[in-house]
Every structure is written in structure tokens, then in C-alpha cells.
């Protein structure tokens, strides 16, 4: 019996030793797990910090690009306005020469009764105006026989046997184009087919 008691005691001690060993292993495992979690936590914090730094850099870059774009828009508007003003100034300078010549012609009319001289002065001024407009890309729409709604505005229609239908009878006001684009259509009188009288 004593043997049984000793054996039971030994078994109990063995079980206790095993439990103690398991508990120690669990403690070691828990410590290892805690260390591993701490390490992972530090790695995640480092990754988060890198991501935050990258986000800050991207945000700063975005703000810089946005500011540059706003500056670009303002600069473009100013440049367009400057180009427009320079074009107007260039036209005005050229037109002032025509005005000067026109004023000279008016002044000379005071001292002459010669109609031919007056007419010649007006023709020269007209020629100068037409050339000025041409130099700036403004040209008169050439007279054509056929009515074209893209170039002409029919102010009046007349029934006529002399003219074919849709033919221009008379130009009331010349039209003009600016670099090929119609800026004022020619105002014209157009013939229509005369109805037959029965």
C-alpha cells in the first residue's frame, strides 16, 4: 500500500511538475507574444508615421500646384488683356494717321473751290482707310451676282425679268470679313422670279 501511496504521490508530483512546466511555458509564450505584439506595434507606428509624412508632402505639393494654377490663371487673364490692349493701341495709332489726313483735307477745303481737288482728297482718304482695314485682316466682301445667305442679307426683293431669280440687283451696304469670318454681311436687294401674268 505504501507503494501505491508512493506511486500516487510520485504521479501527483509528476503532474504538478508538468503543470508547472506548462505554466512556465505559457508565461514564456505570453512574454514572447507580448514582445512580438510590441514589435509589430512599433512597426505599425513607423509605417503610420511614414504614411502621415507622405500625406503631408502630398498635401503640400497639392497646395503648391493649386497656388501655381491660380497664379497661372491670373497671369493668363492679364496677358490676354495686355494683348487686347496692344492690338487696340496698334489699330488706334494706324487709324490716327487717317484722321490726320482727313483733317488736312477738311482744312484744305476751306481754301479751294475746286471740286476735283476735294474729290481727290476724299478718294485718297478712302483708299487709306481701306488699306488700313486690310492690314488688320478686315476685307470687303466682293460683289457677286448670286445671293449667298452666308455673306449677304436680303433687305428687299424685287420682281424682275432683267435678273435671274436669286441674283443680286443692288448692294445697299458693303459687307466685311475679319480673317475670313463675316463680321457684317452685305445688305442687298435680290431679284425673285416674276409671276407670269395670264
Amino acid at each position: 500500500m505504501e507503494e501505491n501511496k508512493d506511486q500516487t504521490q510520485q504521479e501527483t508530483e509528476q503532474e504538478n511538475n508538468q503543470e508547472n512546466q506548462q505554466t512556465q511555458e505559457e508565461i514564456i509564450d505570453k512574454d514572447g507574444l507580448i514582445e512580438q505584439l510590441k514589435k509589430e506595434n512599433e512597426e505599425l507606428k513607423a509605417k503610420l508615421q511614414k504614411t502621415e509624412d507622405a500625406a503631408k508632402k502630398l498635401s503640400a505639393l497639392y497646395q503648391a500646384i493649386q497656388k501655381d494654377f491660380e497664379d497661372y490663371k491670373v497671369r493668363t487673364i492679364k496677358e490676354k488683356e495686355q494683348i487686347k490692349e496692344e492690338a487696340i493701341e496698334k489699330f488706334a495709332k494706324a487709324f490716327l494717321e487717317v484722321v490726320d489726313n482727313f483733317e488736312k483735307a477738311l482744312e484744305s477745303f476751306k481754301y479751294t473751290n475746286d471740286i476735283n481737288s476735294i474729290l481727290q482728297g476724299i478718294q485718297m482718304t478712302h483708299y487709306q482707310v481701306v488699306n488700313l482695314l486690310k492690314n488688320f485682316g478686315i476685307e470687303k466682301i466682293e460683289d457677286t451676282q448670286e445671293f449667298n445667305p452666308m455673306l449677304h442679307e436680303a433687305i428687299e426683293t424685287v420682281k424682275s425679268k432683267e435678273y435671274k431669280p436669286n441674283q443680286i440687283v443692288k448692294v445697299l451696304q458693303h459687307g466685311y470679313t475679319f480673317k475670313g469670318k463675316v463680321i457684317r454681311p452685305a445688305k442687298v436687294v435680290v431679284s425673285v422670279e416674276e409671276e407670269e401674268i395670264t
Side-chain angles (χ1 to χ4, degrees), residues 82-94 136:
Q82 185 178 0
I83 289 168
K84 182 179 167 184
E85 288 175 6
E86 287 172 0
I88 292 170
E89 181 181 345
K90 185 177 176 183
F91 182 79
K93 283 181 180 178
F136 281 91

Side-chain angles (χ1 to χ4, degrees), residues 62-135:
Y62 171 75
Q63 289 174 356
I65 290 171
Q66 190 174 22
K67 184 183 180 313
D68 287 348
F69 183 67
E70 291 300 320
D71 292 347
Y72 167 77
K73 286 188 338 187
V74 169
R75 189 172 56 252
T76 302
I77 290 169
K78 285 181 181 177
E79 286 172 359
K80 283 182 180 179
E81 195 62 34
Q82 185 178 0
I83 289 168
K84 182 179 167 184
E85 288 175 6
E86 287 172 0
I88 292 170
E89 181 181 345
K90 185 177 176 183
F91 182 79
K93 283 181 180 178
F95 192 72
L96 288 175
E97 289 180 25
V98 175
V99 171
D100 291 342
N101 288 338
F102 193 66
E103 287 175 349
K104 288 176 188 173
L106 288 173
E107 187 65 31
S108 69
F109 296 161
K110 292 179 184 176
Y111 305 107
T112 185
N113 290 331
D114 184 8
I115 298 295
N116 288 332
S117 296
I118 294 172
L119 184 60
Q120 187 179 8
I122 292 172
Q123 286 174 336
M124 287 173 57
T125 305
H126 177 264
Y127 176 78
Q128 193 176 13
V129 169
V130 169
N131 279 339
L132 169 72
L133 293 175
K134 216 177 249 190
N135 290 338

Side-chain angles (χ1 to χ4, degrees), residues 37-49:
L37 288 174
K38 282 182 180 178
K39 186 178 176 183
E40 287 178 8
N41 187 28
E42 291 301 319
E43 287 174 2
L44 288 173
K45 281 183 180 178
K47 285 182 181 179
L48 177 63
Q49 186 62 45

Side-chain angles (χ1 to χ4, degrees), residues 6-7 11 14 28 32 61 70 79-80 89 96 142 154 170 172 177:
D6 282 342
Q7 197 176 12
E11 286 176 3
Q14 236 178 359
I28 290 171
L61 180 62
E70 291 300 320
E79 286 172 359
K80 283 182 180 179
E89 181 181 345
L96 288 175
E142 294 301 321
K170 184 177 182 183
L172 300 175
T177 60

